[in-house]
Amino acid sequence: MTIRRILGALVAGLLLAAPLAQAQAQQFEQVGDYQIHYNALNTSFLAPEVAAAAGIQRSRVTGMLNVSVLQEQDQGAPRAVNARVDGQVSGLTGQPLPLRFRTVRDGDSIYHIATFRIHEGEPMRFELEVAPDRNAAPVDVGFIQRFYIDR
C-alpha cells in the first residue's frame, strides 16, 4: 500500500470518526490557484504501517503536522506541487519551537511532514510560511488546535 493511500485512508477515517475530527482533520487555504492543505493529529492515531511507511515513531505525546500544496489546473484535477514549508509551534504563552519539515513523495503526491511534542489540553499555535511559487512571496498560514494525550 502506498503512503498516499495510507494517508488518504487515515484522513478519511478521521473524517468519518466524529464531527470534531472532521472540523480539525483537514483544513485548507485557497491562495490564488493554490490550495494549501494542512492537518495535525496525535501520532498514536496512526496505524503502525502508516507510521512505518512515513518514518514516524508513534507516541501518545507526539503530534504530526502534514502540509500539502495543490495547484488548480484549467482542466482536470489539481496537481501536487513541491513547496517550501517552514514553521513553528508553541503553546499560547510558550516559546515557539521550530518545526522541521521533511518532504515525502509518493507517486504524484507530495507531503511535507513535521512532528512536535503535544502539550496536554493546551491550545497549540501553528505558524507556517508556505511558498508554493519560488517567484512569489510566501503565504502565512496559522491555526490553533488543542490536543489530548490518549491514555
Side-chain angles (χ1 to χ4, degrees):
M1 184 175 266
T2 66
I3 293 174
R4 179 181 182 184
R5 288 186 186 148
I6 291 170
L7 288 174
L10 171 67
V11 170
L14 288 173
L15 289 175
L16 295 173
L20 178 59
Q22 184 173 359
Q24 294 180 347
Q26 182 69 33
Q27 300 140 343
F28 78 95
E29 291 198 19
Q30 184 79 38
V31 180
D33 61 345
Y34 294 101
Q35 297 175 1
I36 302 170
H37 291 259
Y38 54 93
N39 60 5
L41 54 95
N42 188 314
T43 60
S44 67
F45 294 155
L46 295 173
E49 60 273 10
V50 173
I56 296 171
Q57 178 155 354
R58 296 173 70 232
S59 169
R60 43 190 199 110
V61 297
T62 302
M64 177 187 88
L65 176 60
N66 178 19
V67 178
S68 60
V69 179
L70 303 176
Q71 184 177 26
E72 295 176 345
Q73 304 296 299
D74 289 335
Q75 297 179 8
R79 71 175 179 86
V81 296
N82 190 22
R84 181 182 53 81
V85 181
D86 293 309
Q88 58 189 18
V89 61
S90 66
L92 291 180
T93 59
Q95 184 75 343
L97 298 172
L99 292 165
R100 291 185 175 82
F101 286 92
R102 62 187 173 81
T103 302
V104 176
R105 295 176 185 267
D106 182 40
D108 294 334
S109 298
I110 303 170
Y111 305 98
H112 305 280
I113 297 173
T115 57
F116 56 92
R117 180 144 178 100
I118 291 174
H119 299 279
E120 173 76 33
E122 178 182 355
M124 298 183 71
R125 180 185 314 270
F126 295 85
E127 297 173 355
L128 308 176
E129 190 175 87
V130 182
D133 180 350
R134 66 177 154 237
N135 297 317
V139 176
D140 292 328
V141 176
F143 66 99
I144 296 173
Q145 186 168 328
R146 186 181 308 258
F147 295 86
Y148 296 96
I149 296 174
D150 187 27
R151 298 193 192 272

